[in-house]
Amino acid sequence: SETLDVAALREDFPVLDREFDGTPLVYLDNAATSQTPKRVVESITDYYYRYNANVHRGIHSLSQEASIAYEEAHDTVGEFVGTDRREEIVFTKNTTESMNTVAYAWGLNELGPGDEVVLTEMEHHASLVTWQQIARRTGAECKYIPITDDGYLDMEAARDLITDDTEMVSVVHASNTLGTVNPVRELADIAHDHGSYIFVDGAQSVPHQPVDVKAMDCDFFAFSGHKMCGPTGVGVLYGKEHLLEEMDPYLYGGMMISKVTFEDSSWHELPWKFEAGTPPIAQGIALAEACDYLDDVGMERVHRHSTDLARYAHEELTASDDVEVYGPPADDRGPLVAFNVDGVHAHDLSSIVNDYGVAIRAGDHCTQPLHDVLGATASARASFYLYNTREEVDALVDAVDEARQLFA
Ligand SMILES: Cc1ncc(COP(=O)(O)O)c(CNc2co[nH]c2=O)c1O
């Protein structure tokens, strides 16, 4: 069917049965981290119970099993985002480390005075602070594509800002604050027309919509396992093979080498060149399981379900004229709403709705410069996923109303 059987899916997530003093949990903080289905958790226990061993093909059978499972996990994760080359899929700790890998291994070597890195005003600190500091260390300059009043990227400004001096465009695919989904293929074409690379931050898009890195033509792409039904401790860096081939490693040590003498060393083949030391073996295998889980649910259905909930929440919250929701209109956004209620600080709001079992986030969502642009010191944010329901949106709206009464 075209819709999700949410009641059946919720059976996969025991944590959703939690109660606090008899009040059922209403988990609406999925942009921070998603919940983890039983079969993903079981893949971790199965690894530790049956074939825990260090990888990279130790001679013994247990290591062979662990190595093959870990290597094939790269294939499964690659297929999930549209590449059939495991050489293009590096497992890291998280999106943040994936971005730092390119900023250090490429940026530190290639950037210098006169070079420019073009970001957007809606970047997460994982890319904004990283490129800002690498630019500071190399003498390069960061520029920021502004957003329009209704939370879209100003594409006319983008065309002016991306020039032949631009060496890297780093852009969030789906904003974790505005809900804006950016035209990354168009941005990739503009970047490439000027001889620049493009890095797409997919932390909030891969969990929620079908992603094809080849159709997008991005040079680098990053996302995190814990936001897409996977465990914490594993992230992914996708890179076009020839670019990763040309890049120096980011971290040095065991596993990432081929030959080592006292004088010098040579590197292992891709993607292992970028996976120094003992990698997140169980986590990588579990991330592949999470990809299979989401494929079984159906990413088009996940996307439709989550964005429908965000649309409903937007409409219900803005029915009160003291609520401001940031970002694009209700019917053109990713699966989240960041908002403020006049007279109720976001932290107070999230604390009060928590008394009703509703878990949302309050703060800057690691987008402080964006909040400066929005003229808000903080915002509350509800973010949805495949296991949330319209009744849970109603619980949010009712709890917000309780907060409103308290502060009236
Ligand atoms: C767009 C975006 N980029 C990068 C990251 C960093 O991911 P990590 O390295 O796995 O932490 C996040 C996490 N965003 C959030 C983490 O907590 N609340 C959030 O909105 C994000 O939303």
Side-chain angles (χ1 to χ4, degrees):
S1 82
E2 284 314 296
T3 57
L4 295 180
D5 181 350
V6 179
L9 287 171
R10 286 175 72 93
E11 297 295 312
D12 297 336
F13 301 84
V15 70
L16 298 178
D17 297 333
R18 281 295 309 275
E19 294 187 354
F20 299 96
D21 302 327
T23 305
L25 166 67
V26 177
Y27 184 77
L28 302 178
D29 195 18
N30 293 283
T33 201
S34 66
Q35 295 303 338
T36 315
K38 281 186 270 189
R39 72 185 246 202
V40 170
V41 176
E42 284 154 8
S43 73
I44 295 173
T45 47
D46 182 48
Y47 166 75
Y48 284 116
Y49 285 177
R50 287 194 325 102
Y51 60 107
N52 173 43
N54 213 327
V55 291
H56 288 310
R57 307 219 177 230
I59 302 305
H60 59 79
S61 303
L62 213 57
S63 175
Q64 288 291 333
E65 278 190 34
S67 298
I68 289 167
Y70 181 70
E71 290 165 12
E72 290 179 351
H74 288 69
D75 301 332
T76 303
V77 173
E79 281 155 30
F80 193 73
V81 293
T83 176
D84 60 2
R85 300 284 295 162
R86 68 165 63 165
E87 292 79 2
E88 299 186 321
I89 296 292
V90 177
F91 283 170
T92 60
K93 190 167 60 258
N94 50 35
T95 299
T96 303
E97 183 181 348
S98 298
M99 310 219 70
N100 277 270
T101 299
V102 175
Y104 275 87
W106 173 84
L108 222 44
N109 287 339
E110 300 300 325
L111 293 174
D115 293 332
E116 294 175 0
V117 176
V118 173
L119 306 165
T120 77
E121 288 182 341
M122 65 173 88
E123 289 312 298
H124 185 281
H125 294 164
S127 61
L128 195 152
V129 179
T130 304
W131 288 113
Q132 173 194 82
Q133 295 306 314
I134 291 296
R136 179 182 289 275
R137 287 173 59 172
T138 57
E141 186 185 355
C142 284
K143 293 188 170 176
Y144 298 87
I145 303 170
I147 61 171
T148 61
D149 290 345
D150 48 0
Y152 291 103
L153 272 191
D154 181 337
M155 289 304 287
E156 198 175 324
R159 283 185 197 83
D160 290 340
L161 282 166
I162 301 171
T163 70
D164 292 346
D165 292 331
T166 309
E167 297 298 322
M168 177 67 78
V169 174
S170 190
V171 60
V172 66
H173 191 179
S175 165
N176 70 318
T177 301
L178 298 172
T180 315
V181 181
N182 290 315
V184 285
R185 175 59 203 246
E186 187 181 350
L187 285 160
D189 291 344
I190 298 168
H192 295 152
D193 287 348
H194 290 282
S196 168
Y197 295 130
I198 184 165
F199 195 139
V200 176
D201 170 353
Q204 296 293 349
S205 59
V206 172
H208 295 285
Q209 63 186 77
V211 165
D212 181 340
V213 290
K214 297 301 180 187
M216 194 186 295
D217 197 24
C218 56
D219 298 295
F220 301 102
F221 189 91
F223 55 102
S224 294
H226 68 95
K227 296 186 189 282
M228 54 184 289
C229 295
T232 55
V234 63
V236 181
L237 168 65
Y238 158 82
K240 284 181 179 173
E241 189 168 349
H242 75 277
L243 297 177
L244 293 176
E245 205 61 74
E246 289 159 18
M247 272 165 57
D248 287 342
Y250 168 48
L251 297 172
Y252 296 103
M255 307 283 195
M256 54 77 65
I257 48 89
S258 171
K259 181 129 183 57
V260 179
T261 67
F262 288 119
E263 288 68 38
D264 202 354
S265 304
S266 59
W267 313 131
H268 205 322
E269 63 194 20
L270 290 177
W272 321 122
K273 168 174 129 179
F274 288 101
E275 296 193 12
T278 299
I281 305 167
Q283 293 89 333
I285 291 167
L287 174 55
E289 187 68 33
C291 291
D292 288 342
Y293 179 82
L294 288 171
D295 273 339
D296 291 347
V297 176
M299 284 309 292
E300 287 292 356
R301 282 198 288 269
V302 171
H303 182 236
R304 205 172 12 260
H305 178 77
S306 304
T307 49
D308 175 63
L309 290 177
R311 180 187 306 113
Y312 180 56
H314 189 295
E315 289 162 354
E316 291 296 295
L317 286 168
T318 52
S320 306
D321 57 15
D322 62 351
V323 172
E324 179 176 13
V325 172
Y326 303 105
D331 61 357
D332 187 25
R333 60 176 36 239
L336 59 89
V337 286
F339 63 98
N340 271 305
V341 180
D342 286 348
V344 186
H345 190 284
H347 287 102
D348 295 329
L349 184 74
S350 68
S351 169
I352 292 162
V353 303
N354 183 59
D355 293 343
Y356 295 86
V358 179
I360 64 172
R361 183 149 294 248
D364 56 52
H365 319 306
C366 301
T367 57
Q368 283 182 26
L370 173 61
H371 276 80
D372 294 342
V373 170
L374 298 172
T377 53
S379 60
R381 184 191 64 192
S383 48
F384 311 98
Y385 212 1
L386 56 97
Y387 37 68
N388 289 128
T389 64
R390 287 168 80 91
E391 290 73 25
E392 290 184 311
V393 173
D394 295 336
L396 165 69
V397 174
D398 293 346
V400 167
D401 201 39
E402 295 293 336
R404 178 183 285 116
Q405 313 283 344
L406 260 180
F407 282 80

